[in-house]
Amino acid sequence: MSDQVVKLAGSLIQHGSFNDRVYLMKLVTDDFEHLPSVIEEIAQENNYSKIFSKIPVSAKEYFLSRGHVEEAHIPGFFNGDEDASFMAKYLSQARMEELNTQENTSVLKAAISKFNVSKDVKLSDDEQFIVCSETDTTEMADLYRQVFPSYPFPISDATYLLKTMSEDFVYFGIRKHGKLVAVSSCEMDIENRNVEMTDFATVPECRGKGYSLYLLGEMETNMRDTGIKTAYTIARARSYGMNAVFSRHSYIYAGTLVNNTNISGGIESMNIWYKKL
């Protein structure tokens, strides 16, 4: 089960009951003033409880005037020049009330304390770093299915993974004794020279080995070589491990998206981190 991705006058949105939201993924800024009302109509027609938008800061004031609030901010997100605002509009009181505030605050504080605290991770002779190819998609999908009870995009579907590989996604992995045990991806916005570092997963029996730290380092090298300027992630606010991984790699905390994403079995808040490459 997953939400649908559609284009509206050139802008890209995802919406559906799975995440119970409309997500404005990419805004075409030439003529955007009609878009918030169209998105609100979609949300109201389907009884969604949140609208989440990733927009250039030049559109922020208009979205604020429509009742949206800024939950996170990344400087120089678009081509290193224009900032990005991550906006939210709540259509129910329950959706805007964070239930795990104390836990999430504790995780964030602990992760920030690890800022730029390096941790050297080396692969052993029986471990191999790979850039994934289409021949790996079935094994990747099986790994994602094993790790995530739910996910905002259908990454447990090999057909979806294959499709994204033909677009602007690059997947990375680690094999141990030939078996795929960890995976991650870079979702690139080539036009705006930014990338989301995402889809990290490690099989339960191999956690604690620093595979995500290792993958993130390799991903950054790959993205620098591609000409990407800004890297960011949207990490589960309850996950100390993933928040610490990004903080250790000198990513800066940018804000929290409250009750934003259906991941690991339910709707959770997500932290945004960014880094200039």
Side-chain angles (χ1 to χ4, degrees):
M1 181 180 180
S2 60
D3 297 341
Q4 60 179 314
V5 177
V6 297
K7 278 193 172 182
L8 288 177
S11 294
L12 195 66
I13 70 163
Q14 180 203 44
H15 75 96
S17 58
F18 184 67
N19 289 286
D20 186 21
R21 70 180 186 193
V22 182
Y23 173 17
L24 175 55
M25 302 168 66
K26 191 170 184 178
L27 173 67
V28 174
T29 56
D30 293 341
D31 179 25
F32 66 83
E33 292 192 352
H34 73 289
L35 196 59
S37 60
V38 174
I39 289 174
E40 287 167 26
E41 288 175 8
I42 293 172
Q44 289 165 358
E45 288 171 2
N46 292 279
N47 202 31
Y48 300 145
S49 58
K50 184 174 183 177
I51 299 170
F52 165 48
S53 303
K54 181 174 63 185
I55 62 171
V57 73
S58 56
K60 174 182 170 180
E61 289 301 322
Y62 185 72
F63 275 72
L64 288 172
S65 74
R66 301 281 311 192
H68 297 245
V69 295
E70 184 179 64
E71 293 193 313
H73 185 99
I74 297 181
F77 186 82
F78 298 97
N79 279 309
D81 298 323
E82 184 170 7
D83 298 357
S85 290
F86 292 74
M87 310 293 291
K89 183 170 185 175
Y90 293 92
L91 304 176
S92 81
Q93 183 67 27
R95 186 69 181 248
M96 68 188 299
E97 294 176 352
E98 191 162 27
L99 300 178
N100 303 295
T101 303
Q102 186 173 350
E103 178 185 4
N104 293 350
T105 300
S106 177
V107 166
L108 181 60
K109 183 178 179 180
I112 289 175
S113 75
K114 301 297 183 183
F115 182 79
N116 202 28
V117 178
S118 61
K119 183 178 178 181
D120 191 27
V121 179
K122 295 181 180 179
L123 299 185
S124 60
D125 291 340
D126 62 358
E127 297 167 331
Q128 177 192 14
F129 167 76
I130 63 168
V131 177
C132 299
S133 68
E134 56 188 48
T135 60
D136 300 307
T137 53
T138 297
E139 199 172 358
M140 292 163 60
D142 289 342
L143 189 156
Y144 281 130
R145 195 176 303 114
Q146 180 182 351
V147 171
F148 293 110
S150 64
Y151 205 76
F153 291 89
I155 57 175
S156 59
D157 180 352
T159 302
Y160 169 81
L161 296 175
L162 187 62
K163 176 178 179 293
T164 57
M165 282 182 179
S166 68
E167 298 168 349
D168 290 326
F169 286 67
V170 183
Y171 291 88
F172 304 84
I174 294 174
R175 291 189 175 277
K176 185 176 179 64
H177 299 303
K179 176 188 175 183
L180 190 66
V181 294
V183 69
S184 61
S185 81
C186 289
E187 181 179 349
M188 296 180 288
D189 182 346
I190 299 294
E191 178 186 356
N192 292 301
R193 299 171 78 178
N194 62 64
V195 60
E196 183 178 357
M197 309 301 222
T198 187
D199 301 336
F200 287 82
T202 301
V203 295
E205 63 268 25
C206 290
R207 289 174 188 163
K209 296 180 181 292
Y211 287 161
S212 292
L213 270 170
Y214 186 92
L215 286 170
L216 184 55
E218 295 291 337
M219 294 159 72
E220 288 180 0
T221 298
N222 187 291
M223 291 298 101
R224 286 191 190 96
D225 292 344
T226 307
I228 295 294
K229 288 190 172 185
T230 303
Y232 73 104
T233 195
I234 305 176
R236 295 173 62 204
R238 298 175 67 183
S239 172
Y240 167 72
M242 285 313 304
N243 285 278
V245 162
F246 283 92
S247 186
R248 284 184 182 276
H249 269 276
S250 302
Y251 283 69
I252 297 169
Y253 169 69
T256 298
L257 313 176
V258 176
N259 296 328
N260 193 71
T261 304
N262 190 335
I263 188 167
S264 289
I267 300 289
E268 294 191 19
S269 295
M270 310 292 286
N271 290 335
I272 292 187
W273 300 79
Y274 73 92
K275 180 179 181 177
K276 298 302 179 183
L277 297 181

